[in-house]
Amino acid sequence: MPLILRRDTVKDERESVHQLFVQDSTDGHAKDAERELESLIGDDVYRLDAREAIYLAGMRNLDTAADILREWGYDL
């Protein structure tokens, strides 16, 4: 059964907390991305679900994450 159907609250099956401090520009991009995800899905998406999905997408695209780190000055 999919996660969204088997849980009672959005925090069910989420035992780990990952606190994330972000730059102001990242915060704006995150809010835009959450709205875009809702548009792509065609339904309301809990912010916690959207953020975890975006986090997982980054893990699946480490080359893109590496590019961002290089923009920040890593690997000079």
Side-chain angles (χ1 to χ4, degrees), residues 10-68:
V10 73
K11 291 183 181 179
D12 282 353
E13 297 187 35
R14 288 186 165 117
E15 303 299 321
S16 299
V17 175
H18 287 218
Q19 188 173 14
L20 182 65
F21 294 91
V22 298
Q23 301 168 63
D24 287 341
S25 61
T26 303
D27 185 54
H29 290 301
K31 290 173 183 169
D32 292 342
E34 290 164 17
R35 286 190 292 274
E36 180 66 21
L37 274 175
E38 286 186 328
S39 178
L40 291 169
I41 296 296
D43 199 356
D44 292 336
V45 176
Y46 286 108
R47 174 168 279 168
L48 194 56
D49 287 343
R51 289 181 175 180
E52 186 169 353
I54 291 166
Y55 190 41
L56 285 167
M59 288 180 217
R60 293 178 183 176
N61 296 285
L62 291 177
D63 288 339
T64 303
D67 290 343
I68 292 167

